[in-house]
Amino acid sequence: MTVQTEQTKQTEQQHFERTIGHEQRIEPRDWMPDGYRRTLVRQIAQHAHSEIIGMQPEGTWLASAPSLRRKAILVAKVQDEAGHGIYLYSAAETLGVDRQDLTEQLIDRRQKYSSIFNYPTLSYADVGTIGWLVDGAAICNQVPLCRSSYGPYARAMIRVCKEESFHQRQGFELLMTMMTGTDEQRAMVQESVDRWWWPSLMMFGPPDDASPNSAQSMAWGIKRHSNDELRQRFVDMSVPQAEVLGVTLPDPELAWNEERGHYDFGEPDWDELSRVIRGEGACNDERVARRTQAHEDGEWVRAAAAAYAQKQAHPVVEERTA
Amino acid sequence: MSLETAGDVKAEWPPYEVFVRSKRGLNHVHVGSIHAADDEMALRHARDVYTRRNEGVSIWVVPSASITASSPDEKDSFFEPSGDKIYRHPTFYDVAEDVPHM
């Protein structure tokens, strides 16, 4: 009996590895190693939480957008972030977890979200910079995830990436508009870029030699490129864009390296990243508190809708008890 | 638990699977899932989440619990009946090259 179970497991393991090896997708009801499932749940949940928390920094500027056009764009963008969160929670749920549990884990701080959203949005230019740099970095991270080995995750990422392109372009256009404005507006853009550049580089995670889970994630095809590879790609993309925009990037070591065919750049402050991940960033408490409040404020709505649905489904029973 | 509610009503909204017809002439295709208290709300949530950019002209929502699926464990035996019937494919038949319209 035990021998047979062991054999079955081995066959399943082989089938799993063959599927990954052939660049085919693993689907929800397939057998998968516990570690694969755990890693996916952690990564997808963290990603979903990032989208949901990511509504806050820009949401702050909704009421003070300078024109109706800008306000409509920002509303659409923030709404997209909510949608992205839901695509991703939906993908996570195919792994046997529950969205409500994930939300509770975010609120209890047992699960994390991207460190970038713990920085404050101090000026309206930050809306543009977030679109250009933060969403630009997110695109670098996410495009390869469209080929992730787990089917529902890859499909969710395809939807996300399609919409992310609008986010980046509206941000760049916003900054470009400000750059053609007054000296004061140009200074606002530069100040904003100075604050967001380094945190954007940190979005790719710690350097490869300090990223313990990366190798396994790559072997499983969950991740496609290392943190440092993606960071380099982002720097190479951003430098010429900064030139078009007419802003400087706050890194004295930034220089084209002919030999490597890439830009050299300075080392981000990894201690700062650790601190922000540990919960000591400028806005960690505020972000989680706001999410918790939204969850609690919405509770009566969820309950009322559920009660209404139950009443509609069982009207006769309701009458009898009355 | 903060998710429990007054009385015996649970605030937990069940999951629905969402299928979207992207344009006339095409099948509805599964796009993901959403949570909703009832069918009507499921349809509205599906619209808001999955068709923000004209991705669809028609939506189906189905309670996830209503779906019966084949099991991946029995994939070989379940689909086996079609595996050895190669005569169901047009390429099984040798037809001379010069036969027109075939």
Side-chain angles (χ1 to χ4, degrees), chain A residues 29 80 90 93 100 163 299, chain B residues 2-3 35 52-53 70 72:
Chain A
R29 300 178 72 210
D80 274 354
S90 161
E93 285 190 309
Q100 304 221 30
E163 299 177 353
E299 193 163 318
Chain B
S2 60
L3 295 170
H35 286 259
R52 283 195 304 283
R53 290 179 175 77
S70 64

Side-chain angles (χ1 to χ4, degrees), chain A residues 201-243:
Chain A
L201 291 191
M202 293 178 201
M203 284 176 69
F204 298 94
D208 292 350
D209 51 23
S211 180
N213 302 324
S214 281
Q216 180 62 73
S217 280
M218 283 172 71
W220 275 330
I222 296 175
K223 241 175 113 154
R224 293 291 179 170
H225 303 281
S226 79
N227 295 353
D228 287 334
E229 262 173 61
L230 292 167
R231 194 169 4 251
Q232 179 72 62
R233 191 179 292 184
F234 174 68
V235 171
D236 290 346
M237 274 173 37
S238 302
V239 174
Q241 292 171 348
E243 280 165 14

Side-chain angles (χ1 to χ4, degrees), chain A residues 57-247:
Chain A
E58 291 178 279
T60 308
W61 286 94
L62 278 172
S64 16
S67 68
L68 190 56
R69 175 173 179 267
R70 291 293 172 193
K71 186 176 285 190
I73 292 169
L74 194 51
V75 168
K77 200 199 154 192
V78 171
Q79 197 184 18
D80 274 354
E81 309 295 1
H84 295 177
I86 295 171
Y87 302 155
L88 287 157
Y89 284 129
S90 161
E93 285 190 309
T94 64
L95 292 158
V97 294
D98 186 79
R99 191 176 80 185
Q100 304 221 30
D101 286 342
L102 299 178
T103 299
E104 301 253 320
Q105 291 190 53
L106 167 65
I107 287 171
D108 296 347
R109 298 190 172 201
R110 278 174 289 148
Q111 283 181 340
K112 300 197 184 306
Y113 53 88
S114 175
S115 56
I116 195 77
F117 301 117
N118 291 314
Y119 290 85
T121 39
L122 303 178
S123 87
Y124 178 71
D126 288 0
V127 172
T129 311
I130 288 177
W132 174 40
L133 292 179
V134 175
D135 292 322
I139 291 172
C140 271
N141 256 330
Q142 290 169 357
V143 167
L145 293 176
C146 297
R147 294 183 295 117
S148 178
S149 63
Y150 187 57
Y153 189 32
R155 293 191 287 271
M157 291 320 302
I158 291 172
R159 305 188 77 84
V160 169
C161 284
K162 272 188 195 162
E163 299 177 353
E164 210 65 63
S165 163
F166 140 62
H167 297 182
Q168 196 191 19
R169 290 174 69 108
Q170 66 81 33
F172 193 82
E173 189 234 36
L174 191 161
L175 295 179
M176 206 69 216
T177 307
M178 288 184 77
M179 290 305 283
T180 57
T182 63
D183 283 347
E184 214 180 343
Q185 285 175 310
R186 273 187 288 276
M188 263 175 87
V189 173
Q190 184 61 58
E191 187 275 336
S192 173
V193 170
D194 288 345
R195 273 185 292 110
W196 289 96
W197 174 248
W198 291 109
S200 299
L201 291 191
M202 293 178 201
M203 284 176 69
F204 298 94
D208 292 350
D209 51 23
S211 180
N213 302 324
S214 281
Q216 180 62 73
S217 280
M218 283 172 71
W220 275 330
I222 296 175
K223 241 175 113 154
R224 293 291 179 170
H225 303 281
S226 79
N227 295 353
D228 287 334
E229 262 173 61
L230 292 167
R231 194 169 4 251
Q232 179 72 62
R233 191 179 292 184
F234 174 68
V235 171
D236 290 346
M237 274 173 37
S238 302
V239 174
Q241 292 171 348
E243 280 165 14
V244 174
L245 208 49
V247 294

